[in-house]
């Protein structure tokens, strides 16, 4: 058995969850915040039998899309107290999924 941790952007979480449940995967959603741009994420915990791991990963891969968005990232010069307010929008890639797969030594359901 495997434990899959999939970190997906909030915009993709509903699609991923819907398809995982539709394909008979049991999933728990945990709200989380990313370190880059402090965007909202969902961390999905999924217990998967070894023979169904590829099917689970396929759902995550096909339902979590990457996209380019333009964001204004404020700049400041450390120690100067000066913040540049004339920054232009910068293209940033968002979305997709970061997935960790762990071996499960023991599993109990009470």
């Amino acid at each position: 058995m495997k434990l899959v941790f999939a970190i997906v952007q909030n915009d993709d979480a509903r699609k991923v969850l819907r398809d995982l449940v539709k394909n008979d995967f049991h999933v728990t959603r945990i709200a989380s915040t990313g370190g880059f741009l402090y965007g909202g994420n969902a961390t999905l915990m999924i217990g998967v039998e070894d023979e169904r791991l590829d099917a689970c990963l396929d759902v995550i891969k096909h339902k979590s899309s990457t996209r380019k968005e333009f964001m204004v990232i404020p700049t400041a010069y450390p120690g100067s107290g000066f913040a540049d307010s004339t920054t232009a929008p910068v293209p940033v890639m968002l979305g997709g999924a970061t997935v960790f797969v762990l071996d499960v030594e023991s599993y109990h359901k009470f």
Side-chain angles (χ1 to χ4, degrees), residues 10-46:
N10 276 341
D11 293 344
D12 296 327
R14 182 171 290 165
K15 294 182 294 185
V16 175
L17 278 166
R18 182 183 59 236
D19 272 29
L20 285 169
V21 170
K22 186 170 117 180
N23 286 284
D24 202 29
F25 291 103
H26 300 262
V27 58
T28 299
R29 177 183 177 162
I30 302 169
S32 54
T33 302
F36 180 64
L37 301 177
Y38 301 102
N41 296 322
T43 299
L44 308 178
M45 290 188 343
I46 311 153

Side-chain angles (χ1 to χ4, degrees), residues 9 36-39 67-74 87-94:
Q9 192 175 32
F36 180 64
L37 301 177
Y38 301 102
R67 59 201 159 274
K68 186 187 324 184
E69 292 186 14
F70 289 88
M71 309 198 79
V72 176
I73 301 172
T87 58
V90 176
V92 176
M93 292 301 292
L94 297 176

Side-chain angles (χ1 to χ4, degrees), residues 40-103:
N41 296 322
T43 299
L44 308 178
M45 290 188 343
I46 311 153
V48 181
E49 297 84 8
D50 291 349
E51 60 273 3
R52 297 195 65 214
L53 178 60
D54 289 336
C56 177
L57 295 176
D58 282 344
V59 169
I60 296 167
K61 180 178 181 180
H62 290 102
K63 293 298 176 178
S64 53
S65 58
T66 58
R67 59 201 159 274
K68 186 187 324 184
E69 292 186 14
F70 289 88
M71 309 198 79
V72 176
I73 301 172
T75 59
Y77 301 104
S80 70
F82 174 75
D84 182 3
S85 62
T86 62
T87 58
V90 176
V92 176
M93 292 301 292
L94 297 176
T98 301
V99 181
F100 299 90
V101 179
L102 306 165
D103 288 320

